[in-house]
Amino acid sequence: MAEAERIIGTPDTPGDSGATAAGAGEQGAAAERPRGRRRIVVLFAVAAFAYALDLVSKMLVVARLEHHQPIQLLGDWLELNALRNPGAAFGFGQAFTVIFTVIAAAVIVVIVRLARKLYSLPWAIALGLLLGGALGNLTDRIFRSPGIFKGEVVDFIAPKHFAVFNLADSAIVCGGILIVLLSFRGLDPDGTVHKD
């Protein structure tokens, strides 16, 4: 159990055998603050990386692929095909663009607020992926045509027999899968492990 907690990011128990209980508590509080800050740094670094990849990829797609023939990468199985999507991820809910914009903004606020209680590295990575993906698609919603909060998201990854998506969608899905796995393992964002 101790090895599992070390791997998945549970904060170490502070103090040593020679310290008093009060001294151990003070050392633990001092040790947990930097560990928590490191997790926050990881969260925002992952988010910035995912956001930058999404932003750069969409800029390249708009500049070089939009209004052109799709580029085939793996024959008929995978191609790059620039599309504008007013709906949610994978083209769902095209009549609710404003609602999805509000939801994306709410997700960003919740993740930023949760970051203060974050002591788990895997949760920092998962939330960073969600945050970066949400920011990527929210940027399209705000700044792309047809208007503010109604902008259409640039999608371009087109597998055969599947919806067209982008890197922000991929980051959101990967972050969501990681959160489900962490929840099944009983790991909370604050680093505690529980068994139901």
Side-chain angles (χ1 to χ4, degrees), residues 16-122:
D16 57 39
S17 57
T20 64
E26 290 172 6
Q27 289 174 0
E32 285 184 12
R33 279 193 292 271
R35 286 174 59 92
R37 285 194 202 109
R38 282 194 289 268
R39 302 303 186 257
I40 293 171
V41 169
V42 169
L43 185 155
F44 287 110
V46 170
F49 182 72
Y51 178 68
L53 276 181
D54 180 66
L55 192 63
V56 169
S57 67
K58 287 173 179 173
M59 289 170 62
L60 289 171
V61 165
V62 169
R64 301 191 177 188
L65 187 59
E66 203 166 39
H67 310 301
H68 291 82
Q69 289 296 317
I71 298 173
Q72 292 189 334
L73 297 179
L74 296 173
D76 291 342
W77 292 100
L78 180 65
E79 65 182 19
L80 301 180
N81 185 13
L83 299 173
R84 296 292 181 114
N85 174 16
F90 308 113
F92 297 113
Q94 297 185 6
F96 303 102
T97 304
V98 174
I99 293 172
F100 293 128
T101 303
V102 172
I103 291 171
V107 166
I108 291 166
V109 170
V110 168
I111 291 172
V112 170
R113 289 178 58 91
L114 185 60
R116 296 178 299 169
K117 300 178 182 179
L118 190 61
Y119 285 91
S120 166
L121 182 60

